[in-house]
Amino acid sequence: MAEERTGKRRLAPEDIYEIALVSDAQISPDGQRVAFVRTVLDRERNDYRSSIWLVDVAGGEPVRFTTADARDSFPRWSPRGDRLAFLSNRSGKDQVWLISLGGGEAQQLTRFPEPVTHFAWSPDGTTLAVVTKAETAEPPEKEPEPETDVVRITRIRYRSDGTPGFLDEKRSHIWCVPVDGGRPWQVTSGDFDESWPAWSPSGHEIAFVSNRTPDREYNTVSEIWAVRASGGEPRPVATGDAAYFFKPVWSPDGTVLAFTGHREPFAGSSRNHQLWAVAAGGGEPASLTSALDRSVEDEVLTDTAASSKPGPIWAPDGRWIYTQVSDQGNVHLYRIPAGGGEPQLVVGGRRRVVDFSLSADGSLIACTVSEPLNPCDVIVCSADGSGERRLTRVNEEFFATVELSEPEEVWLPSASEDRRPIHAWIMKPIGFREGVRYPLVLEIHGGPHAMYGNVYFHEFQLLAAQGYAVLYTNPRGSQGYGQQFLSCTRGAWGEADMPDLMGAVDAVIERGYIDPSRLGVTGGSYGGFMTNWVIGHTDRFKAAVTQRCVSNLASFYGTSDIGFHFGEHEIGGTPWEQPELYRRLSPLTYAPQMKTPLLILHSEQDYRCPIEQAEQLYVWLKKLGRTVEFVRFPDESHGLSRSGKPKHRVERLQHILRWFAEYL
Ligand SMILES: CSCC[C@H](NC=O)C(=O)N[C@@H](C)C(=O)N[C@@H](CO)C(=O)O
């Protein structure tokens, strides 16, 4: 028994309550301290709680800085470093709060009737640029009663996964809020959604992200604009029908704007996000990372992380722009020469740099990092990555009590004609003994343009704890291996990537410790699509769990919040232009061939892969007399496994284990 050998117990689904998540490591301008967010799952309330913590760069125990029983997030230092602004839901909706480093209680700064979703300090520290859908700075005395509960829909975008109900007609705009008194003023207006405000170094202008094209209802354009901080007509910086640009950041001298994205209409995450630079006055952007052939976004998937919003950061000397780069299952921190040239790796290794920040003089970097056996910690290093030190050991005590399986990183030959090596990870079951043959669970990631990688994954560790070997791979279509590999699945969902998955399974079986008659398969979203696809094309799997899945591409086109653009780009046309292709690539087409006992897990408020996808598959298989079960999660969205209510997250894991225990 593992317990006897190591003195450690096996991981359990409820252990998600034991794992604290840290994120958003923000180093103070003087480089002395790091503020970060610590998130815990609250079992009693079946909810999340988060607070701001501080740790000295010199070392020592982190201390809790905000103490409210609430969700505090997004800490940002004032330019002088004497206070922190942060978002908190203490008053109901997320608003900006201020807390002095000298001591005292946090004070509420904004009272918008709608949540604040993002903000940025002005360079002189007097004003915050704030993003909100509010139309006034103060809530009305009395909320108007809706006249009817009947919903009238006029837009094609009327739902968005993660937003319960239907989207309203309100638009996200930028406001300026003086931090020491004075009335907020609205900077942008009109029938546009604005985000990601970035102050020019002089404080005169604010760059932001918006789609101001006439066809914005139907396209996926995302442009860079700038506006005077006092308000007025915005001016275009990097715009156009092919723009897919985000996260602007000004050069320290204010002459150039850098941002991330690509320039292919509707391509979304099927293209590498590059780092671009354009004259601040506007013009033709130039890519600084085209030769890198990697995405400068974090593309890795996990079920154990708190979200943060890192964007590129310009070094104060103007020479470098720091950015994340997704590379072969890792997310690294690079610095890119602002004038063009060879990108330099700053924070590398088998891990994910979740977020990062720079001290005001650019000499120190703080990051949150995640590793296969450690979900998150804060580290600090010099501007070139040297002298790295770990500042927190958030979950060290807990992980000292449970046994984890160390993933082995391997390259396995595809079963396709080219036999291309596919990057994969194998986890041996806890208590592994030579000479014994174990059941294997194949995990398939979604996207399809995301990647598995060197991060802690609770679901995988749980399976290993229950005695399964676990295999996860980055087949064709995954991020992190270059543009050509990334595009392979377009118009070929299932067809292009299934041989990669099967080749990897064969190669693991050849190692001798897998029982080939006990293979399981599971995955979420596009990974659910692939789970359905796989059991429709082979009977070699003994049990399957399909999660938040896609089963019918034609109905996905019309019911998913992204169906009409994502589906169209990924499949290569509309269902009425390409009916045969939609039929051929839909797993439901192969339902009569599906024999594997299937558990269907789906959230009722999933607007990304709506529950009708699960319902169709369930009824077809039921009518076909197959072993199939359907578990529905009320009041949950597509993000159930990562951000759902804690109790549902535990139940979801229990259902997966139950199904494999019964059928595998
Ligand atoms: C990071 S790839 C996500 C692509 C796409 N989003 C927008 O265009 C998307 O949401 N795809 C889903 C079908 C999907 O497979 N989602 C995955 C990865 O986020 C999931 O695990 O939910």
Side-chain angles (χ1 to χ4, degrees):
M1 290 296 285
E3 291 85 341
E4 284 159 18
R5 282 204 320 255
T6 63
K8 294 182 176 186
R9 69 171 172 87
R10 289 182 191 229
L11 200 70
E14 310 79 53
D15 282 327
I16 60 169
Y17 291 109
E18 308 302 324
I19 301 172
L21 300 173
V22 294
S23 60
D24 218 350
Q26 296 292 319
I27 193 162
S28 57
D30 64 6
Q32 302 275 313
R33 288 192 269 202
V34 179
F36 62 89
V37 180
R38 187 175 189 277
T39 304
V40 290
L41 281 69
D42 183 337
R43 196 190 291 256
E44 256 111 74
R45 289 200 177 98
N46 193 23
D47 203 353
Y48 297 78
R49 290 280 171 266
S50 55
S51 47
I52 314 291
W53 287 58
L54 292 175
V55 62
D56 282 340
V57 165
E61 277 303 302
V63 289
R64 184 169 174 176
F65 192 50
T66 64
T67 52
D69 191 12
R71 289 192 80 160
D72 296 343
S73 62
F74 203 65
R76 292 295 177 272
W77 295 92
S78 64
R80 279 187 21 220
D82 57 342
R83 48 187 164 174
L84 275 168
F86 60 96
L87 294 178
S88 179
N89 68 351
R90 309 162 181 221
S91 61
K93 297 170 177 155
D94 265 3
Q95 296 293 324
V96 183
W97 290 65
L98 286 170
I99 186 163
S100 164
L101 268 289
E105 286 298 311
Q107 304 292 325
Q108 185 169 356
L109 176 69
T110 64
R111 291 189 162 70
F112 289 105
E114 297 288 333
V116 171
T117 52
H118 197 123
F119 68 82
W121 283 93
S122 64
D124 65 2
T126 62
T127 312
L128 293 183
V130 157
V131 180
T132 177
K133 278 181 156 188
E135 285 152 4
T136 56
E138 300 280 342
E141 302 245 305
K142 199 167 162 269
E143 288 287 344
E145 289 288 321
E147 284 167 18
T148 174
D149 54 0
V150 174
V151 183
R152 195 173 144 245
I153 309 282
T154 56
R155 295 177 184 234
I156 194 164
R157 293 168 200 267
Y158 64 94
R159 287 197 302 196
S160 174
D161 187 62
T163 305
F166 300 98
L167 294 178
D168 56 30
E169 303 281 302
K170 292 175 188 152
R171 296 301 200 171
S172 282
H173 281 296
I174 296 170
W175 287 68
C176 274
V177 182
V179 288
D180 291 313
R183 284 191 67 75
W185 68 92
Q186 189 167 350
V187 179
T188 63
S189 57
D191 186 29
F192 317 104
D193 280 308
E194 266 92 52
S195 60
W196 208 275
W199 291 84
S200 66
S202 69
H204 291 141
E205 277 197 301
I206 298 171
F208 60 93
V209 175
S210 187
N211 179 355
R212 292 177 166 245
T213 60
D215 193 35
R216 59 188 170 279
E217 178 73 357
Y218 293 92
N219 64 32
T220 54
V221 165
S222 179
E223 307 172 301
I224 309 296
W225 289 75
V227 64
R228 280 196 313 280
S230 53
E233 203 45 46
R235 64 177 179 85
V237 177
T239 59
D241 287 349
Y244 194 69
F245 298 146
F246 304 92
K247 302 180 177 177
V249 56
W250 296 78
S251 62
D253 65 4
T255 61
V256 181
L257 269 157
F259 48 87
T260 63
H262 62 69
R263 284 207 292 193
E264 190 168 329
F266 297 102
S269 51
S270 70
R271 287 289 169 282
N272 282 329
H273 285 225
Q274 298 178 31
L275 186 68
W276 302 80
V278 68
E284 200 44 38
S287 170
L288 300 176
T289 55
S290 52
L292 197 59
D293 199 19
R294 293 287 185 271
S295 177
V296 301
E297 292 286 346
D298 177 352
E299 311 283 1
V300 86
L301 292 173
T302 172
D303 61 357
T304 313
S307 71
S308 41
K309 299 176 178 171
I313 300 179
W314 213 304
D317 65 8
R319 287 178 57 212
W320 305 99
I321 305 164
Y322 286 79
T323 180
Q324 291 164 302
V325 172
S326 286
D327 184 23
Q328 303 196 346
N330 299 307
V331 182
H332 289 151
L333 182 65
Y334 271 73
R335 55 182 188 182
I336 314 293
E342 212 37 42
Q344 274 187 16
L345 179 66
V346 178
V347 180
R350 288 187 64 210
R351 56 184 167 172
R352 167 191 183 203
V353 176
V354 183
D355 51 61
F356 64 99
S357 59
L358 251 67
S359 60
D361 67 0
S363 64
L364 283 174
I365 301 169
C367 306
T368 311
V369 293
S370 178
E371 293 156 352
L373 302 184
N374 180 19
C376 48
D377 263 318
V378 175
I379 61 153
V380 70
C381 62
S382 300
D384 60 0
S386 62
E388 181 179 320
R389 279 178 300 119
R390 189 167 293 255
L391 296 186
T392 62
R393 295 185 183 276
V394 181
N395 294 299
E396 199 171 62
E397 232 172 84
F398 167 66
F399 282 113
T401 65
V402 290
E403 193 161 4
L404 297 181
S405 173
E406 170 123 40
E408 182 191 347
E409 205 172 329
V410 290
W411 291 80
L412 304 173
S414 169
S416 65
E417 256 173 40
D418 64 7
R419 304 288 293 163
R420 184 178 180 138
I422 298 299
H423 201 182
W425 289 259
I426 306 167
M427 288 164 67
K428 285 189 176 147
I430 297 295
F432 176 85
R433 280 182 290 128
E434 294 294 341
V436 178
R437 294 208 296 173
Y438 291 93
L440 173 78
V441 176
L442 169 68
E443 289 270 2
I444 312 177
H445 75 65
H449 310 296
M451 63 181 188
Y452 280 143
N454 285 311
V455 289
Y456 175 84
F457 218 116
H458 196 68
E459 180 180 323
F460 301 175
Q461 288 292 348
L462 266 182
L463 288 165
Q466 293 293 317
Y468 303 102
V470 181
L471 167 67
Y472 50 105
T473 73
N474 284 335
R476 264 164 256 238
S478 300
Q479 276 281 4
Y481 305 87
Q483 187 57 62
Q484 196 262 335
F485 193 78
L486 187 58
S487 309
C488 281
T489 45
R490 196 170 166 214
W493 278 23
E495 294 174 342
D497 37 351
M498 181 164 161
D500 295 350
L501 299 169
M502 293 309 106
V505 170
D506 293 337
V508 179
I509 290 171
E510 268 170 37
R511 295 184 162 216
Y513 56 79
I514 300 299
D515 179 348
S517 69
R518 295 181 71 201
L519 303 178
V521 57
T522 185
S525 200
Y526 180 81
F529 168 97
M530 279 307 296
T531 301
N532 301 341
W533 183 270
V534 163
I535 62 168
H537 288 80
T538 172
D539 294 334
R540 71 188 302 200
F541 290 89
K542 206 162 168 240
V545 180
T546 189
Q547 310 179 47
R548 56 183 187 284
C549 77
V550 178
S551 68
N552 180 341
L553 288 170
S555 66
F556 176 86
Y557 181 93
T559 58
S560 166
D561 62 346
I562 59 171
F564 70 94
H565 54 88
F566 172 79
E568 188 167 329
H569 175 81
E570 286 288 330
I571 304 307
T574 63
W576 54 92
E577 290 161 351
Q578 299 284 355
E580 174 48 27
L581 185 59
Y582 272 71
R583 194 201 61 81
R584 196 184 87 210
L585 298 184
S586 287
L588 211 54
T589 305
Y590 309 95
Q593 284 91 276
M594 294 180 189
K595 309 273 166 47
T596 310
L598 179 67
L599 173 63
I600 304 174
L601 302 181
H602 220 105
S603 297
E604 293 193 334
Q605 310 302 318
D606 188 335
Y607 298 155
R608 179 59 41 91
C609 300
I611 196 157
E612 57 88 16
Q613 296 287 315
E615 289 167 341
Q616 296 187 59
L617 185 61
Y618 176 68
V619 168
W620 284 44
L621 291 178
K622 205 71 193 159
K623 186 77 180 153
L624 284 159
R626 302 292 186 263
T627 302
V628 58
E629 190 181 304
F630 186 13
V631 177
R632 304 170 65 111
F633 292 84
D635 294 324
E636 296 290 357
S637 68
H638 195 66
L640 164 67
S641 62
R642 310 168 269 233
S643 57
K645 288 188 197 70
K647 191 166 175 294
H648 283 157
R649 285 177 62 180
V650 171
E651 283 183 73
R652 172 189 158 271
L653 293 166
Q654 287 167 337
H655 281 295
I656 297 172
L657 298 185
R658 172 181 64 82
W659 194 260
F660 284 136
E662 186 166 353
Y663 292 102
L664 195 50

